[in-house]
């Protein structure tokens, strides 16, 4: 992503490096100490910057952490669209298996739990999350489902938001509430069951 | 529920009343102040008992809160089985609409968020929750689904755990992460979509 800046190229590169160091430090620290013990002081120390540098750009630790998650999203920008090989079932299995791998990755597990539980208790953060992270991701998912619907692979009257919830909701819920093992086989099973439905097909 | 006690009937009635007062106080307080600020002192003051009375029965505030949730479950003991009118779709809609009503009830919303987020961060509490609350509830749900499967209303090879996750997961996830309005219509839509599946039925 390119942005217009009025500062000199060198200053701009320096602030960009500081910004990234701060966000990476926030992400790593929340995974180590949890959200409650995350502090601007701690982030500044880990990133090797002064507290004032952080306060110049962000009003609170929540705002820093949130931007850290947005940075992760930016990094994956090129690959953000869902695969479309024409085979919906195998594409969805690939995507849900990747979600399982990410949720099981110790590097992401704690920070994502911290963000999820902050959202659960903070309606304002939830609204920002919805607007800036959940909705753009959801649009990418619905884009792939809409293509499948046009091709006649999904029911004509299907509510695509419910379809997204039915594919990703079970995984997220099982991960967050620890109600069972989150495996690639479980992801496959969810995809097959969602596509076919619970009722017999004759 | 009846239990064998070795104390005199009067003493037993008194401790039972204290126990219920403590659990009700814990449940109400966590809804008001959140889990982080919940304390044994606060629960004791609200219940009108001494701190030592609480420590005699429970090792921690988490243990008290957990039993408060179990008490709620006991209260609904008689109605815990899922309805079985022979019409699976309408029975599931009734149950999921009741779940929506409970999740939207301000009396339950905060305590359940507190329990959910503690579970997300505490694998030991999650294991206790799984064993004592999630699994018994899940068995009741699977019991109803198994009857429908025997009657030929559900696919023969259906994994009933995945079916439960697919019906309740989207509701729980939407509630906890606040990703959309949790309405009776949404519950109906989830039931219909899960039963029919995302693929067209011809």
């Amino acid at each position: 992503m390119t942005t217009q800046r009025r500062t000199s190229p060198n200053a701009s590169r320096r602030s960009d490096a500081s910004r990234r160091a701060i966000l990476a430090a926030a992400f790593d620290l929340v995974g180590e100490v949890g959200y409650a013990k995350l502090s601007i002081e701690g982030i500044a120390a880990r990133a090797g910057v002064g507290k004032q540098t952080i306060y110049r750009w962000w009003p609170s630790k929540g705002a820093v952490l949130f931007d850290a998650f947005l940075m992760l999203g930016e990094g994956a920008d090129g690959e953000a669209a869902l695969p479309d090989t024409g085979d919906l079932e195998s594409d969805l299995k690939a995507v849900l298996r990747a979600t399982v791998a990410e949720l099981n990755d110790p590097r992401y597990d704690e920070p994502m739990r911290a963000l999820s539980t902050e959202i659960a208790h903070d309606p304002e953060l939830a609204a920002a999350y919805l607007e800036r992270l959940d909705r753009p991701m959801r649009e990418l998912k619905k884009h792939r489902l809409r293509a499948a619907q046009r091709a006649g692979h999904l029911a004509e009257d299907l509510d695509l938001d419910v379809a997204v919830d039915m594919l990703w909701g079970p995984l997220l819920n099982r991960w967050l509430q620890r109600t069972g093992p989150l495996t690639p086989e479980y992801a496959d099973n969810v995809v097959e069951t969602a596509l076919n439905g619970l009722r017999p097909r004759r």
Side-chain angles (χ1 to χ4, degrees), chain A:
Chain A
M1 287 198 186
T2 58
T3 48
Q4 294 287 333
R5 289 178 189 275
R6 276 166 302 178
T7 44
S8 76
N10 275 343
S12 155
R13 256 199 301 278
R14 270 199 308 277
S15 23
D16 217 56
S18 297
R19 183 178 162 272
R20 292 189 166 267
I22 291 164
L23 296 179
F27 191 86
D28 289 346
L29 261 183
V30 79
E32 292 167 25
V33 304
Y35 186 81
K37 289 186 185 151
L38 184 70
S39 67
I40 295 285
E41 287 76 2
I43 299 169
R46 175 70 63 101
V49 302
K51 267 188 352 183
Q52 286 318 310
T53 305
I54 298 183
Y55 281 121
R56 199 161 64 224
W57 289 324
W58 293 278
S60 66
K61 67 177 183 178
V64 182
L65 188 63
F66 195 80
D67 274 359
F69 276 91
L70 283 177
M71 181 173 73
L72 280 187
E74 280 174 25
D77 229 26
E79 308 121 277
L82 266 60
D84 189 349
T85 66
D87 179 344
L88 178 67
E89 181 170 329
S90 94
D91 288 349
L92 287 176
K93 284 180 177 175
V95 173
L96 263 69
R97 278 173 171 249
T99 302
V100 163
E102 192 180 85
L103 294 172
N104 283 330
D105 184 334
R107 194 174 133 69
Y108 297 116
D109 180 75
E110 268 308 313
M112 288 192 298
R113 283 183 193 278
L115 182 66
S116 295
T117 58
E118 283 312 300
I119 285 168
H121 290 289
D122 181 346
E124 212 168 296
L125 186 65
Y129 167 78
L130 188 66
E131 181 64 36
R132 296 175 65 193
L133 273 170
D134 183 77
R135 193 165 296 149
M137 292 294 294
R138 181 174 285 268
E139 283 310 315
L140 294 170
K141 294 166 184 168
K142 284 164 72 178
H143 183 78
R144 176 66 185 91
L145 296 179
R146 205 171 288 117
Q149 202 173 26
R150 281 205 206 97
H153 301 152
L154 290 178
E156 269 179 34
D157 61 349
L158 183 65
D159 181 326
L160 297 183
D161 277 302
V162 172
V164 167
D165 293 351
M166 198 150 288
L167 288 162
W168 278 269
L171 267 66
L172 290 170
N173 198 55
R174 180 173 275 225
W175 164 68
L176 196 61
Q177 300 294 287
R178 306 175 191 271
T179 48
L182 196 61
T183 60
E185 291 71 29
Y186 179 73
D188 289 354
N189 203 336
V190 165
V191 170
E192 286 168 28
T193 308
L195 288 176
N196 291 327
L198 310 185
R199 282 195 177 118
R201 291 196 173 243
R202 301 174 211 282

